């Protein structure tokens, strides 16, 4: 969906112009649009600026200066407050105290500039592993370049330096700097503590580097009690190991009453980033009671991209970030890391060849990104909440957490309080967690009803049972003395069921529908119950497929429910032993296609971004960052286009998109759907998931025909189990490959036409990357790939016909 900007009345009201003059045609500054956004509960909009360019009495850059003053309500000194700049010479020791030779001139210039222009300042950064002054003794690093010598000072001295650095800097600007990035980048990518001189100065830094972080916040707060203090990090906009570590840290700091008021998401991104899940992430942190900020945003594109598609992709990423911030009330500002391509660290310091990451050109002309930000700020409206509640149940839990809450990411704010240590357990895929019921006491409970049970509704969940010897409930909602509805496992029949209580209790007092399939312990299954009031049916779907339906008598009136929605239990017990993930509730009937869609393990729309909009929200990446796209030159691309490298007759250099962590369990039934368009001849692969020696499947072209193939083992010598289709020709073609573990079949559908299946097939587990355009053991794809959907279920022809056409 595209939101075109119009100038809302609120925006006009926020302008201090009494009557429009000819200058009214000038664009409204971002700060004004931002302040008026969110119906007046707006945000600040800022940028990093460089002191050298605003130098009042020398060679500053006047247009830069004027623009910075006019456009922004917030300013960050880009490098003028970092330690190596503020303390260029070594302190001396006198009478047991350190005497520091500070140089505040550069920071003062920026702060004065902000004061003159009525701007708020964010101070970057008090404590950072980088930016150790050059006077700090060095030793040769692994690459021969000198690095700070960790042994140079005793831990005691380093802690004194840290305290002085924090206290003196905050003190110096007390009342003038409103926000401090207190600690920056304390984690490595895998979520472990990042080594630094500060970290090593505290005892036991490896198991726990918490000490220097907590101290820094306390010292900063003591120096200026009115400043807002935040922790700053990059690579935490999506569900990464680092984001989870940061979450646990912030939770711990809050539990310990450490004065932390916010979390800064740097948001240095690139043009293909989907930013899927960013708003969820902001919301999760906000639920810890902190504000959230976008602190250093830029979106890198090629230096050569002065027109065309990359500028649109860039605008899209900026637009998504603005929308994510506005969607979350606790998000208070967006700060750009530079506002003109003439002065950006991207392309010079970082990612050479990938400059033009900002929103204005070298000559301060608006790029599509600038216009897009303005449009998002002006046109934002509260998102329409399609769901009544959505508990992903993948909340992160610190080991010592006492009270767990399953957050509701639907936007309705209906979190579920968790009884017992049920969250944070192994989930549906490696790297993802789920709710784990102990069968006795665990459950997650909302404070009030989520659904009006007399009206039509739909509830779905993923569940994996460990015990099939008793009745258990996956999800229910309370009436006065029992559940108004429940979905669960029925021991007598050994089936899934969906049950609803009758107000008048004529007949049995409730009506229920049983599945025809029998749950297998340990197998994740998607179960959906639909109460279709107009049609008068209770309908049960298993793994996205309509499985069974019953029609209660016309007198049936579902019991009204005024109590909690419960996950993993019902009002009268029946606690589930096993795992639950991804519980969704809707106050309407979902279509068959929508229910099928919820079972997808990956959906890559590939409209200029490589994000996954399924539950897992994985952002795919392309290794050499040179993927191309298909579409009209002045519009967002509508498909991926992979081409061979310049000297690449064997297509080894052709690019591919990598998706991690593991997407599919290839030892169980699954389906892979993709639209493809050929631009070369020979064998090639559109979608594959890797094992160690082999890809576990490949969907693509083999011996000139459309083909779905599964090697018999993850070994060098294998038998290829293959379904071939008709001759592969150019033009968009829809391919679906299906592995049916029960039938031991593989099937291929070409443009919804079933090909002759292969029988007696075996598949095996593969735990590595899913690729678009590449396999371990076949040439790469050359041509278009679009709308890739992955399901952990063997689709039938009927279901395949529900898959939407490519968009
Ligand atoms: C960058 C500056 O923009 C560069 O000029 C400097 O050479 C290196 O630092 N994350 C941060 C910022 O927290 O402080 C960094 O700023 C960019 C990455």
């Amino acid at each position: 969906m595209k939101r075109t900007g119009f100038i809302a009345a609120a925006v006009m009201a926020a302008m201090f112009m009494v009557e429009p003059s000819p200058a009214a045609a000038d664009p409204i500054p971002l700060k004004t649009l931002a302040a008026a956004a969110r119906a007046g509960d707006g945000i600040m909009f800022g940028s990093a600026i460089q002191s050298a360019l605003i130098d009042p009495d020398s060679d500053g850059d006047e247009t830069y200066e004027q623009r910075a003053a006019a456009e922004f309500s917030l300013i960050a000194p880009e490098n003028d407050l970092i330690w190596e700049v503020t303390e260029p010479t070594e302190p001396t020791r006198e009478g047991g105290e350190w005497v520091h030779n500070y140089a505040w001139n550069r920071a003062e210039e920026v702060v004065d500039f902000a004061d003159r222009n009525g701007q708020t300042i964010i101070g970057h950064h008090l404590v950072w592993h980088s930016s150790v002054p050059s006077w700090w003794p060095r030793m040769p690093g692994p690459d021969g370049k000198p690095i700070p010598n960790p042994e140079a000072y005793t831990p005691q001295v380093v802690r004194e330096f840290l305290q002085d650095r924090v206290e003196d800097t905050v003190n110096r600007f007390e009342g003038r700097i409103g926000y401090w990035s207190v600690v920056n980048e304390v984690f490595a990518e895998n979520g472990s503590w990042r080594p630094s001189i500060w970290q090593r100065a505290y005892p036991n830094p490896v198991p726990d580097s918490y000490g220097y972080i907590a101290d820094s916040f306390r010292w900063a707060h003591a120096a200026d009690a009115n400043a807002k203090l935040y922790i700053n990090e990059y690579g935490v906009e999506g569900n990464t190991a680092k984001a989870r570590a940061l979450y646990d840290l912030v939770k711990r700091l809050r539990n310990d009453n450490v004065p932390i008021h916010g979390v800064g998401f740097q948001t240095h991104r690139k043009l293909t980033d989907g930013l899927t899940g960013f708003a969820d992430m902001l919301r999760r942190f906000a639920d810890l009671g902190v504000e959230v900020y976008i602190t250093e945003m830029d979106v890198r594109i090629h230096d050569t991209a002065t027109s065309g598609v990359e500028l649109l992709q860039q605008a899209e990423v900026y637009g998504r970030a603005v929308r994510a911030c506005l969607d979350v009330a606790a998000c208070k500002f967006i700060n750009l890391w530079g506002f003109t391509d003439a002065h950006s660290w991207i392309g010079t310091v970082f990612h050479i060849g990938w400059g033009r990451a900002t929103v204005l050109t070298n000559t301060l002309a608006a790029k599509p990104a600038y216009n897009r930000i303005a449009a998002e700020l002006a046109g934002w409206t509260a998102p329409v909440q399609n769901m009544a509640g959505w508990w992903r149940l993948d909340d992160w839990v610190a080991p010592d957490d006492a009270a767990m809450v399953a957050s509701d990411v639907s936007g309705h704010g209906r979190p579920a309080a968790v009884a017992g240590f049920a969250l944070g357990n192994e989930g549906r895929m490696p790297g993802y967690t789920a709710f784990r019921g102990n069968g006795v006491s665990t459950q997650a409970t909302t404070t009030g009803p989520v659904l009006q049970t007399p009206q039509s509704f739909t509830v779905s969940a993923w569940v994996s049972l460990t015990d099939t010897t008793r009745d258990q409930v996956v999800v229910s909602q309370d009436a006065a003395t029992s559940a108004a509805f429940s979905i669960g496992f029925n021991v007598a029949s050994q089936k899934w069921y969906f049950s609803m209580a009758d107000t008048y209790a004529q007949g049995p007092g409730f009506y229920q529908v049983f599945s025809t399939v029998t749950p297998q312990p340990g197998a994740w299954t998607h179960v959906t119950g639909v109460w279709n009031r107009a049609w008068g049916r209770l309908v049960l779907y298993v793994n996205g497929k309509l499985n069974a339906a019953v029609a209660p008598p016309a007198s049936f009136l579902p019991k009204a429910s005024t109590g909690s929605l419960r996950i993993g239990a019902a009002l009268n017990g029946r606690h589930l032993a096993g795992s639950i993930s991804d519980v969704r509730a809707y106050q309407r009937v979902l279509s068959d296609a929508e229910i099928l869609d919820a079972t997808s393990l990956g959906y890559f729309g590939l409209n200029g971004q490589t994000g996954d909009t399924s539950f897992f929200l994985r952002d795919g990446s392309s290794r050499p960052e040179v993927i191309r796209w298909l579409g009209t030159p002045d519009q967002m691309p509508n498909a991926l286009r992979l081409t061979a490298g310049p000297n690449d007759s064997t297509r080894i250099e052709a690019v591919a998109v990598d998706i991690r962590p593991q997407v599919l369990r290839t030892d169980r039934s699954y389906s892979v759907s993709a639209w493809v368009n050929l631009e070369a001849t020979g064998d090639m692969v559109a979608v594959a998931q890797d094992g160690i020696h082999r890809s576990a499947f490949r969907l693509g072209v083999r011996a000139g025909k459309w083909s779905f193939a599964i090697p018999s083992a993850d070994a060098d010598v294998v038998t290829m189990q293959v379904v071939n289709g008709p001759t592969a020709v150019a033009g968009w073609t829809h391919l679906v490959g299906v592995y049916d573990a029960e039938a031991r079949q593989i099937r291929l559908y070409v443009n919804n036409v079933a090909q002759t299946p292969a029988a007696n097939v075996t598949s095996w587990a593969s735990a590595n990357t899913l690729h678009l355009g590449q396999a371990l053991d076949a040439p790469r794809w050359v041509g278009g790939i679009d709308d890739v959907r992955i399901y952990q279920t063997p689709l039938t022809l009927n279901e395949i016909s529900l898959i939407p056409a490519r968009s």
Side-chain angles (χ1 to χ4, degrees):
M1 186 190 65
K2 214 167 189 165
R3 302 191 190 195
T4 39
F6 60 94
I7 309 305
V11 175
M12 298 304 279
M15 295 173 59
F16 299 103
M17 272 193 277
V18 179
E19 57 184 65
S21 65
D26 286 348
I28 300 168
L30 296 181
K31 67 178 178 190
T32 312
L33 295 170
R38 218 151 53 187
D41 183 16
I43 59 173
M44 292 181 288
F45 210 99
S47 175
I49 60 168
Q50 299 174 6
S51 57
L53 298 167
I54 53 158
D55 192 340
D57 38 46
S58 73
D59 41 0
D61 172 341
E62 214 173 296
T63 53
Y64 177 96
E65 206 178 321
Q66 283 167 359
R67 193 62 180 259
E71 195 78 65
F72 303 113
S73 44
L74 189 74
I75 290 293
E78 184 168 338
N79 290 307
D80 307 301
L81 272 168
I82 61 178
W83 189 29
E84 61 182 324
V85 169
T86 63
E87 192 161 12
T89 54
E90 192 165 8
T92 53
R93 195 137 176 103
E94 268 171 39
E97 293 287 311
W98 290 105
V99 178
H100 297 278
N101 306 300
Y102 289 125
W104 301 115
N105 51 316
R106 282 175 53 177
E108 289 285 4
E109 271 173 33
V110 182
V111 175
D112 286 346
F113 176 85
D115 284 350
R116 287 199 300 280
N117 296 306
Q119 294 162 317
T120 300
I121 294 262
I122 50 180
H124 277 235
H125 317 275
L126 291 172
V127 182
W128 192 15
H129 66 280
S130 187
S131 177
V132 178
S134 57
W135 48 260
W136 191 284
R138 310 262 145 175
M139 61 180 206
D143 57 359
K145 291 186 194 146
I147 55 163
N149 178 0
E151 312 300 334
Y153 291 94
T154 64
Q156 171 63 26
V157 168
V158 176
R159 289 200 295 270
E160 287 167 14
F161 281 4
L162 178 66
Q163 183 165 7
D164 287 359
R165 157 79 182 151
V166 171
E167 287 180 349
D168 294 352
T169 311
V170 176
N171 245 324
R172 171 80 193 193
F173 296 99
E174 189 188 349
R176 297 179 76 198
I177 291 190
Y179 293 78
W180 279 106
S181 164
V182 177
V183 294
N184 189 35
E185 303 175 352
V186 301
F187 290 111
E189 301 328 299
N190 67 1
S192 64
W193 300 107
R194 187 190 290 280
S196 71
I197 58 166
W198 312 119
Q199 179 240 21
R200 277 187 293 260
Y202 276 68
N204 296 325
V206 174
D208 195 2
S209 294
Y210 183 74
Y212 86 93
I213 298 167
D215 275 357
S216 299
F217 276 95
R218 292 194 181 103
W219 290 325
H221 186 64
D224 185 349
N226 293 319
K228 289 205 172 163
L229 308 179
Y230 63 93
I231 185 166
N232 203 47
E233 189 54 87
Y234 72 87
V236 291
E237 293 78 25
N239 182 350
T240 58
K242 197 198 260 183
R244 296 191 288 270
L246 179 64
Y247 180 87
D248 290 346
L249 171 61
V250 173
K251 198 170 196 176
R252 183 171 168 195
L253 290 164
R254 299 283 302 167
N255 285 343
D256 291 351
N257 288 320
V258 173
I260 175 170
H261 311 113
V263 177
F265 296 73
Q266 291 188 8
T267 324
H268 296 289
R269 307 299 320 193
K270 65 177 189 295
L271 73 165
T272 54
D273 284 356
L275 283 182
T276 47
F278 190 18
D280 283 0
M281 190 64 56
L282 295 174
R283 233 175 244 129
R284 258 184 228 282
F285 278 88
D287 284 348
L288 296 176
V290 290
E291 296 185 341
V292 290
Y293 320 117
I294 293 175
T295 54
E296 304 184 12
M297 186 156 188
D298 47 36
V299 181
R300 54 190 185 270
I301 62 175
H302 284 101
D303 287 341
T304 47
T306 50
S307 66
V309 157
E310 289 198 7
L311 289 173
L312 297 175
Q313 288 176 276
Q314 179 181 52
E316 174 71 17
V317 184
Y318 273 107
R320 287 178 187 211
V322 171
R323 214 181 304 156
C325 177
L326 292 176
D327 282 354
V328 179
C331 186
K332 300 299 183 192
F333 64 73
I334 297 173
N335 189 60
L336 308 175
W337 210 238
F339 62 90
T340 157
D341 289 340
H343 304 288
S344 162
W345 78 305
I346 302 285
T348 55
V349 180
F350 187 58
H351 279 278
I352 310 300
W354 285 83
R356 305 194 191 282
T358 75
V359 301
L360 300 178
T361 65
N362 284 337
T363 56
L364 305 188
K367 293 160 67 177
Y370 178 93
N371 296 328
R372 180 62 177 276
I373 291 172
E376 292 290 350
L377 290 171
W380 182 88
T381 50
V384 176
Q385 306 303 351
N386 178 27
M387 292 176 185
W390 184 8
W391 303 272
R392 294 172 55 93
L393 303 172
D394 59 350
D395 304 76
W396 308 306
V397 184
D400 51 354
D401 265 348
M404 297 191 193
V405 174
S407 40
D408 166 20
V409 297
S410 74
H412 285 287
R414 291 167 170 153
V418 179
F421 291 88
L423 294 177
N425 296 289
E426 189 193 327
R428 277 192 283 150
M429 285 292 151
Y432 293 85
T433 61
F435 174 99
R436 177 118 182 141
N438 63 7
V440 181
S441 57
T442 44
Q443 59 177 319
T445 324
T446 62
T447 48
V450 170
L451 294 166
Q452 295 177 1
T453 42
Q455 309 300 326
S456 291
F457 68 87
T458 303
V459 175
S460 70
W462 284 89
V463 56
S464 161
L465 297 171
T466 52
D467 177 0
T468 49
T469 64
R470 359 188 226 102
D471 286 343
Q472 289 153 81
V473 171
V474 181
V475 53
S476 66
Q477 189 173 292
D478 299 355
T481 54
S482 66
F485 82 82
S486 64
I487 295 174
F489 171 73
N490 174 266
V491 68
S493 62
Q494 290 287 303
K495 304 292 184 207
W496 302 109
Y497 77 88
F498 169 42
S499 157
M500 290 180 72
D502 184 0
T503 307
Y504 301 120
Q506 299 154 339
F510 58 88
Y511 291 93
Q512 53 191 338
V513 52
F514 294 98
S515 67
T516 59
V517 295
T518 304
Q520 297 305 312
W524 278 101
T525 309
H526 188 256
V527 185
T528 305
V530 179
W531 162 234
N532 188 325
R533 183 172 174 239
W535 194 39
R537 297 267 196 303
L538 277 71
V539 192
L540 186 61
Y541 290 72
V542 179
N543 284 335
K545 302 161 202 234
L546 199 157
N547 188 256
V550 300
S555 60
F556 173 58
L557 183 64
K559 208 172 233 177
S561 165
T562 49
S564 304
L565 182 131
R566 288 173 199 270
I567 295 167
L571 182 60
N572 53 13
R574 290 182 280 156
H575 295 269
L576 183 123
S579 301
I580 307 176
S581 158
D582 192 5
V583 175
R584 308 182 191 195
Y586 303 78
Q587 193 67 68
R588 65 181 178 87
V589 174
L590 259 60
S591 68
D592 289 0
E594 286 173 305
I595 293 170
L596 182 64
D597 208 48
T599 68
S600 131
L601 293 194
Y603 171 36
F604 303 87
L606 300 173
N607 295 329
Q609 258 82 25
T610 54
D612 164 15
T613 48
S614 79
F615 171 88
F616 292 96
L617 302 170
R618 307 172 189 90
D619 268 351
S621 63
S622 88
R623 234 180 266 140
E625 296 190 14
V626 289
I627 35 179
R628 291 171 184 79
W629 299 88
L630 279 165
T632 33
D634 55 346
Q635 276 169 11
M636 272 300 273
N638 56 29
L640 188 63
R641 179 175 185 229
L642 301 177
T643 53
N647 322 309
D648 191 10
S649 55
T650 57
R651 297 210 298 261
I652 289 165
E653 287 177 27
V655 291
V657 175
D658 295 344
I659 296 143
R660 295 190 203 85
Q662 179 191 356
V663 175
L664 204 51
R665 295 218 33 173
T666 49
D667 55 343
R668 296 194 181 142
S669 299
Y670 63 87
S671 307
V672 176
S673 158
W675 288 85
V676 296
N677 189 9
L678 281 182
E679 290 183 33
T681 53
D683 285 7
M684 55 182 141
V685 173
V687 190
Q689 181 171 299
D690 291 353
I692 295 162
H693 305 279
R694 295 274 175 179
S695 296
F697 69 85
R698 0 155 153 160
L699 182 65
V701 179
R702 187 182 164 84
K705 297 188 183 316
W706 300 117
S707 157
F708 184 55
I710 294 184
S712 56
D714 193 6
D716 290 336
V717 181
V718 294
T719 319
M720 270 294 171
Q721 311 168 100
V722 184
V723 184
N724 281 326
T727 303
V729 289
W732 283 104
T733 305
H734 184 213
L735 301 181
V736 180
V738 176
Y739 169 59
D740 186 331
E742 282 69 44
R744 299 195 55 209
Q745 256 190 1
I746 55 175
R747 302 192 281 264
L748 174 68
Y749 300 82
V750 179
N751 290 331
N752 290 359
V753 176
Q755 311 300 311
T756 312
N760 294 321
V761 172
T762 44
S763 186
W764 39 274
S766 59
N768 289 322
T769 309
L770 181 105
H771 298 287
L772 308 185
Q774 183 193 344
L776 269 181
D777 48 3
R780 297 183 180 208
W781 188 261
V782 173
I785 301 181
D786 200 11
D787 277 21
V788 175
R789 294 169 197 259
I790 314 280
Y791 304 85
Q792 193 74 68
T793 183
L795 297 180
T796 62
L797 185 54
N798 254 344
E799 290 149 2
I800 289 167
S801 65
L802 293 175
I803 296 175
R806 69 173 275 269
S807 55

